[in-house]
Amino acid sequence: LSMLLAMAQIRRQLTPVEQLKEGTQRIARQEFDYRVAVESDDEFGELGASVNSMADQLGRQFGMLSTKSEIDRAILSLLNTEKIVETILTRFSALFHCDITSLTLINDEESHQAFILDHGVLRTRHDKEIDSIIRRAVETGTQLHFEENEIRALAPNTIEFGGVRSIMASPLTVQNKVLAVLAFYATKRGQFDPQELRLLGELTSQAAIAIFNSQLFERTKHHVVELEKANKAKDDFLAVVSHELRTPLNIILGYMGVLRDKLLGELNAEQSGAVETVDKHAKDLLELINTILQTTQLEAGAVAIEYNQIELAYVLDNLKTKYALPLDKNLSLSWQYPRNLPGALTDQRQLERILQNIIDNAIKFTPEGEVAVSAAFEPDASVVRFTISDTGIGIAKESLGAIFERFRQLDNTGTREFGGLGLGLFIAKSLARLMGVAIHVESEPGRGSTFTVSLPIANHGKYSAPSSSAVNRAMEL
């Protein structure tokens, strides 16, 4: 009998020990939902309750860490707002053991978008008005917790989820602005306690940053698309308008030529002056239109470089004839280049356009003084350097990079002194890049500017395309 009593006593002591051992092993395997069933009123019962409480606390902590990790991955890998919201709702719903979870994106201008995870099923909707609980979270910017009686008094007609007896809500705020409101609905009374409110507070800032980043990315992407559309519309408009304007302008210039040649009768001095004025301004306008067309073609990648063997002295001779007439300002234009410049395999038309745009720019910004055009061959570098220097207004050092931008003059005010669209140097730089030609500029305000165009010469004039090493060497020099 003593042995039987001893064995019963030992079994009564060992059973809770085995249960506690199994409980701790399951906790070690992260089975935090397991509960130790020790119903005794002694120390074993208290120890079992402590183990169960520890499992609950560890489950919450591991759930919070897992949720934080999941949101971190969403921030790093997802830039889609809906995907991030779905991740947040799924993780938070599992963490707080609620029946329904919602996240409402707050929009100041349009309807508010609500994402609702109802017993594992995700759905979305758009509402112009939000219910009073969400609105109160937006207005107060603080966490809210309501039980059944408060819910009925606060929003008897706006709670669409039947049987809800406990609600917890928290705004997601970035830079003092509420981006969204997280709300948790439970059919069990007292589902959310102060500890869960604190846990929610530790997670909301991370969720808010994830949504903020995704919305910022989507807005930026939308703006990029809109800018691309606007830029394309601008290019199409300029191309169409330029073509449409060029035709009547050519007709006007034709009739001006007929009048100037007196094919329709003699003109007096006043009439001849008027014809010359109209002809000059029509040519200026045609030049502007051609410049716009060149720019749109360059931006569309429609300019092809046609390599042919040319004589560079002939190129300069041809350019010189375009400036044979006296300039309408107190300015001299000088040319200095040897006749024995080597031949080059390049695009003569585009090379002339580069040099002409730079010469025109020098003349425009030199009210008086001199513009000098020169050229020289440097055998060691296998390059011909064209130099255009002037005694004009000059350019500040910090503005040198900006002069090659589109529609750019250093004075971009509506009353700027010098006319033009500010496209000449942009076209010159763009063509030079296509041809492997380098453009270098040195300038000082009030003392003029010097532009140097370096054209690589491959094999000293033999019929071969410029090598990449020669082009790179010229660009470096």
Side-chain angles (χ1 to χ4, degrees):
L1 181 60
S2 297
M3 289 177 65
L4 290 174
L5 289 174
M7 289 176 63
Q9 183 66 18
I10 291 173
R11 181 174 296 177
R12 190 174 68 85
Q13 298 292 333
L14 287 179
T15 298
V17 171
E18 290 293 333
Q19 292 176 335
L20 291 171
K21 178 182 177 181
E22 183 180 1
T24 55
Q25 290 175 342
R26 292 203 175 190
I27 291 173
R29 294 195 297 266
Q30 299 184 15
E31 298 178 20
F32 302 114
D33 291 335
Y34 179 78
R35 293 293 179 266
V36 177
V38 178
E39 300 179 355
S40 61
D41 297 329
D42 54 9
E43 292 83 356
F44 288 110
E46 295 178 1
L47 185 57
S50 298
V51 170
N52 290 336
S53 177
M54 180 181 66
D56 183 64
Q57 294 292 333
L58 287 175
R60 289 175 180 270
Q61 292 297 323
F62 270 84
M64 184 182 71
L65 292 174
S66 177
T67 300
K68 281 187 174 182
S69 176
E70 192 73 22
I71 295 174
D72 283 339
R73 283 196 293 269
I75 293 174
L76 294 174
S77 61
L78 299 177
L79 289 173
N80 181 285
T81 301
E82 292 190 6
K83 292 291 185 183
I84 290 178
V85 169
E86 183 178 355
T87 300
I88 291 173
L89 289 178
T90 303
R91 299 300 306 182
F92 277 57
S93 179
L95 183 63
F96 293 107
H97 306 290
C98 56
D99 300 289
I100 300 169
T101 309
S102 73
L103 191 148
T104 304
L105 298 175
I106 306 302
N107 194 322
D108 296 333
E109 300 176 358
E110 304 173 1
S111 60
H112 310 287
Q113 187 175 12
F115 297 83
I116 303 167
L117 186 65
D118 189 348
H119 294 87
V121 179
L122 182 66
R123 56 189 174 90
T124 62
R125 71 183 187 195
H126 290 80
D127 298 322
K128 290 187 176 181
E129 296 293 334
I130 53 180
D131 66 45
S132 55
I133 290 179
I134 304 297
R135 188 184 307 111
R136 178 174 292 192
V138 173
E139 293 172 351
T140 61
T142 58
Q143 291 180 331
L144 303 175
H145 178 210
F146 301 104
E147 291 300 323
E148 187 173 7
N149 293 335
E150 296 173 295
I151 294 172
R152 291 175 180 173
L154 179 64
N157 300 321
T158 58
I159 301 300
E160 62 171 308
F161 313 116
V164 171
R165 291 180 173 84
S166 185
I167 296 177
M168 177 174 63
S170 179
L172 304 183
T173 306
V174 174
Q175 297 176 354
N176 297 323
K177 180 181 179 181
V178 177
L179 300 179
V181 175
L182 260 173
F184 305 88
Y185 304 85
T187 56
K188 178 183 176 182
R189 293 186 181 91
Q191 175 67 35
F192 308 115
D193 55 29
Q195 182 179 355
E196 291 190 318
L197 285 170
R198 287 194 301 271
L199 181 60
L200 177 61
E202 296 178 16
L203 296 171
T204 51
S205 60
Q206 199 174 18
I209 292 173
I211 293 175
F212 176 79
N213 289 342
S214 66
Q215 290 181 334
L216 181 61
F217 173 77
E218 290 175 354
R219 285 195 299 269
T220 303
K221 185 170 66 173
H222 175 73
H223 290 160
V224 169
V225 172
E226 293 300 318
L227 287 173
E228 288 177 348
K229 289 181 180 178
N231 195 51
K232 185 178 184 303
K234 179 265 298 178
D235 290 341
D236 293 343
F237 172 78
L238 290 177
V240 172
V241 170
S242 299
H243 279 293
E244 295 299 322
L245 289 177
R246 193 161 55 169
T247 300
L249 267 177
N250 283 323
I251 296 174
I252 292 172
L253 287 172
Y255 276 100
M256 288 298 102
V258 169
L259 292 174
R260 188 175 57 251
D261 296 337
K262 301 178 182 180
L263 298 179
L264 297 180
E266 293 292 329
L267 300 176
N268 58 37
E270 186 176 353
Q271 290 171 335
S272 296
V275 169
E276 291 295 335
T277 300
V278 173
D279 185 69
K280 176 183 179 302
H281 288 289
K283 288 179 178 177
D284 290 342
L285 184 56
L286 182 61
E287 181 62 27
L288 291 178
I289 293 172
N290 288 334
T291 299
I292 293 174
L293 280 175
Q294 294 167 13
T295 302
T296 55
Q297 289 172 352
L298 282 167
E299 292 184 329
V303 176
I305 304 301
E306 299 178 359
Y307 287 100
N308 293 289
Q309 191 71 17
I310 63 172
E311 294 297 328
L312 297 180
Y314 172 78
V315 171
L316 292 170
D317 291 341
N318 192 42
L319 269 177
K320 190 174 179 180
T321 60
K322 298 179 181 181
Y323 299 93
L325 296 176
L327 301 174
D328 57 352
K329 57 171 68 175
N330 186 22
L331 180 67
S332 64
L333 180 59
S334 64
W335 301 78
Q336 184 177 359
Y337 52 92
R339 302 304 309 174
N340 63 345
L341 286 173
L345 191 62
T346 188
D347 191 319
Q348 177 177 339
R349 180 167 170 265
Q350 307 298 4
L351 178 60
E352 288 185 6
R353 183 177 294 176
I354 292 172
L355 297 174
Q356 183 176 348
N357 283 358
I358 296 176
I359 294 170
D360 290 343
N361 186 78
I363 293 173
K364 179 192 298 185
F365 292 99
T366 306
E368 60 180 7
E370 180 186 14
V371 174
V373 181
S374 62
F377 174 53
E378 298 181 7
D380 294 340
S382 295
V383 68
V384 172
R385 300 199 193 280
F386 302 89
T387 304
I388 300 96
S389 60
D390 62 66
T391 58
I393 61 174
I395 308 165
K397 184 177 181 180
E398 61 271 14
S399 301
L400 288 176
I403 63 175
F404 294 102
E405 296 176 3
R406 292 184 308 164
F407 305 107
R408 183 63 183 264
Q409 284 189 14
L410 297 186
D411 178 13
N412 267 331
T413 63
T415 58
R416 62 188 184 184
E417 179 182 355
F418 304 97
L421 295 175
L423 290 173
L425 293 182
F426 168 78
I427 293 174
K429 188 73 171 180
S430 300
L431 289 174
R433 189 179 296 111
L434 289 175
M435 298 169 60
V437 173
I439 298 179
H440 178 70
V441 57
E442 294 180 355
S443 186
E444 185 178 344
R447 304 192 66 177
S449 306
T450 299
F451 286 78
T452 303
V453 178
S454 300
L455 174 68
I457 303 297
N459 298 332
H460 298 271
K462 294 183 180 179
Y463 285 74
S464 60
S467 65
S468 59
S469 60
V471 172
N472 294 336
R473 177 63 176 161
M475 298 291 281
E476 291 173 3
L477 293 172

